[in-house]
Coordinates of all heavy atoms in Angstrom, one line a residue:
Chain B
Q482 N 16.6 9.9 1.9 CA 15.4 9.5 2.6 C 14.5 10.7 2.8 O 14.9 11.7 3.4 CB 15.7 8.9 4.0 CG 14.5 8.3 4.7 CD 14.9 7.7 6.1 OE1 14.8 8.4 7.1 NE2 15.2 6.4 6.1
R483 N 13.3 10.6 2.3 CA 12.4 11.8 2.3 C 11.4 11.7 3.4 O 10.8 12.7 3.8 CB 11.7 11.8 0.9 CG 12.6 12.1 -0.2 CD 13.2 13.5 -0.1 NE 12.1 14.5 0.0 CZ 11.9 15.4 -0.9 NH1 12.7 15.5 -2.0 NH2 11.0 16.3 -0.8
N484 N 11.1 10.5 3.9 CA 10.0 10.3 4.8 C 10.3 9.1 5.6 O 10.8 8.1 5.1 CB 8.7 10.2 4.1 CG 7.6 10.9 4.9 OD1 7.6 11.0 6.1 ND2 6.5 11.3 4.2
K485 N 9.9 9.0 6.9 CA 10.1 7.9 7.7 C 8.9 7.6 8.6 O 8.3 8.5 9.1 CB 11.4 8.1 8.6 CG 11.9 6.9 9.3 CD 13.2 7.2 10.0 CE 13.9 6.0 10.5 NZ 13.1 5.1 11.3
G486 N 8.6 6.3 8.7 CA 7.5 5.9 9.6 C 8.0 5.7 11.0 O 9.1 6.0 11.3
N487 N 7.1 5.2 11.8 CA 7.3 5.0 13.2 C 7.9 3.6 13.5 O 7.3 2.8 14.2 CB 6.1 5.2 14.0 CG 5.6 6.6 13.9 OD1 6.4 7.6 13.9 ND2 4.3 6.8 13.9
F488 N 9.1 3.3 13.0 CA 9.7 2.0 13.3 C 11.0 2.3 14.0 O 11.6 3.4 13.8 CB 10.0 1.3 11.9 CG 8.8 0.6 11.4 CD1 7.8 1.3 10.7 CD2 8.6 -0.8 11.6 CE1 6.7 0.6 10.2 CE2 7.5 -1.5 11.2 CZ 6.5 -0.8 10.5
P489 N 11.5 1.3 14.8 CA 12.8 1.5 15.5 C 14.0 1.6 14.5 O 13.9 1.2 13.3 CB 12.9 0.3 16.4 CG 12.0 -0.7 15.8 CD 10.9 0.0 15.1
G490 N 15.1 2.1 15.1 CA 16.3 2.3 14.3 C 16.9 1.0 13.7 O 17.7 1.0 12.8
R491 N 16.3 -0.2 14.1 CA 16.8 -1.4 13.6 C 16.4 -1.5 12.1 O 17.0 -2.3 11.3 CB 16.2 -2.6 14.3 CG 16.5 -2.7 15.8 CD 16.0 -4.0 16.4 NE 14.5 -4.1 16.4 CZ 13.9 -4.9 15.6 NH1 14.5 -5.7 14.7 NH2 12.5 -4.9 15.6
F492 N 15.5 -0.8 11.7 CA 15.0 -0.8 10.3 C 15.7 0.4 9.6 O 15.6 1.5 10.0 CB 13.5 -0.6 10.2 CG 12.7 -1.8 10.7 CD1 12.5 -1.9 12.1 CD2 12.2 -2.7 9.9 CE1 11.8 -3.0 12.6 CE2 11.5 -3.8 10.4 CZ 11.3 -4.0 11.7
S493 N 16.4 0.1 8.5 CA 17.1 1.1 7.8 C 17.0 0.8 6.3 O 16.7 -0.3 5.9 CB 18.6 1.2 8.2 OG 19.2 0.0 7.9
G494 N 17.3 1.8 5.5 CA 17.3 1.6 4.1 C 18.3 2.5 3.4 O 18.9 3.3 4.0
R495 N 18.4 2.2 2.1 CA 19.2 3.1 1.3 C 18.7 3.0 -0.2 O 18.1 2.0 -0.6 CB 20.7 2.8 1.4 CG 21.1 1.4 1.0 CD 22.6 1.3 1.1 NE 23.0 -0.1 0.9 CZ 24.3 -0.4 0.7 NH1 25.2 0.5 0.7 NH2 24.6 -1.7 0.4
Q496 N 19.1 4.0 -1.0 CA 18.8 4.0 -2.4 C 20.0 4.3 -3.2 O 20.8 5.2 -2.8 CB 17.7 5.0 -2.7 CG 17.2 4.9 -4.2 CD 16.2 5.9 -4.5 OE1 16.2 7.0 -4.0 NE2 15.2 5.6 -5.4
F497 N 20.2 3.6 -4.3 CA 21.4 3.8 -5.1 C 21.1 4.7 -6.2 O 20.0 5.1 -6.5 CB 21.9 2.4 -5.6 CG 22.1 1.4 -4.5 CD1 21.2 0.5 -4.1 CD2 23.3 1.4 -3.8 CE1 21.4 -0.4 -3.1 CE2 23.6 0.5 -2.8 CZ 22.6 -0.4 -2.4
S498 N 22.2 5.1 -6.9 CA 22.1 6.0 -8.0 C 21.2 5.6 -9.2 O 20.6 6.4 -9.9 CB 23.4 6.4 -8.6 OG 24.1 5.3 -9.0
N499 N 21.0 4.2 -9.3 CA 20.1 3.7 -10.3 C 18.7 3.5 -9.8 O 17.9 2.9 -10.5 CB 20.7 2.4 -10.9 CG 20.8 1.3 -9.8 OD1 20.4 1.6 -8.6 ND2 21.3 0.1 -10.1
S500 N 18.4 4.1 -8.7 CA 17.1 4.1 -8.0 C 16.8 2.8 -7.3 O 15.8 2.7 -6.6 CB 15.9 4.4 -9.0 OG 16.0 5.7 -9.4
R501 N 17.6 1.8 -7.5 CA 17.4 0.5 -6.7 C 17.5 0.8 -5.3 O 18.2 1.7 -4.8 CB 18.4 -0.5 -7.2 CG 18.0 -2.0 -6.8 CD 19.1 -2.9 -7.4 NE 20.4 -2.7 -6.9 CZ 20.8 -3.3 -5.7 NH1 20.0 -4.0 -5.0 NH2 22.1 -3.0 -5.3

Side-chain angles (χ1 to χ4, degrees):
Chain B
Q482 188 179 89
R483 294 294 302 245
N484 214 334
K485 193 175 189 305
N487 296 323
F488 279 82
R491 300 185 296 108
F492 292 80
S493 63
R495 59 178 176 167
Q496 187 181 33
F497 302 96
S498 57
N499 61 0
S500 293
R501 196 176 65 83

